Amino acid sequence: MRAVAARVTSASVTVDGRVVGAIEEPGLLVLLGVHVTDSPEKAATMARKLHELRILRDEESCASSGAPLLVVSQFTLYGETRKGRRPSWVNAARPDHAEPLVDAVVAELRQRGAQVATGEFGAMMSVASVNDGPFTVLVEI
């Protein structure tokens, strides 16, 4: 499982002209990719890692500060670009495998007490964010 976590002052996801998820205060925008071999155990580990990641101001985490997260499914994080000019998606999980694991990360974050907004799995989304810093890290489990 792979995530790009960006510290933001606000972020939103729009589908077909309607906002489906947004955070209007400082927090994390998380682009989340699922690998073909990922499991529910990895989803729980990713949720814990994201919730406790100390990249907010003053080395705070969402867990310690109560900051919200916006989680957006992003299969393209597993695009393979080493050969040729066209990415290969062989390492990205198929939707029937990926969607339950993205949902599991979100559910685990909420179970931990996190405020979580989401995108819409499989939809063509427009993601807007105001990066803070900018401060962006790659998280791999």
Side-chain angles (χ1 to χ4, degrees), residues 3 12 22 24 30 38 40 53 55-56 77-78 81 89 93 100 106 114 118 123-124 126 128 131 133:
S12 64
E24 300 298 330
V30 177
D38 284 341
L53 193 61
I55 64 170
L56 299 177
L77 291 179
Y78 278 105
T81 59
W89 310 113
V106 171
T118 65
M124 181 60 75
S126 294
N131 286 18

Side-chain angles (χ1 to χ4, degrees), residues 23-40:
I23 57 174
E24 300 298 330
E25 60 187 280
L28 293 181
L29 168 61
V30 177
L31 305 177
L32 181 63
V34 178
H35 190 272
V36 294
T37 62
D38 284 341
S39 64

Side-chain angles (χ1 to χ4, degrees), residues 94-137:
R94 305 276 310 152
D96 60 330
H97 179 72
E99 186 173 13
L101 293 179
V102 171
D103 291 345
V105 170
V106 171
E108 179 67 22
L109 283 165
R110 288 179 175 149
Q111 185 174 345
R112 296 173 64 83
Q115 302 172 52
V116 184
T118 65
E120 189 174 300
F121 189 92
M124 181 60 75
M125 297 177 273
S126 294
V127 180
S129 66
V130 179
N131 286 18
D132 183 17
F135 200 120
T136 304
V137 296

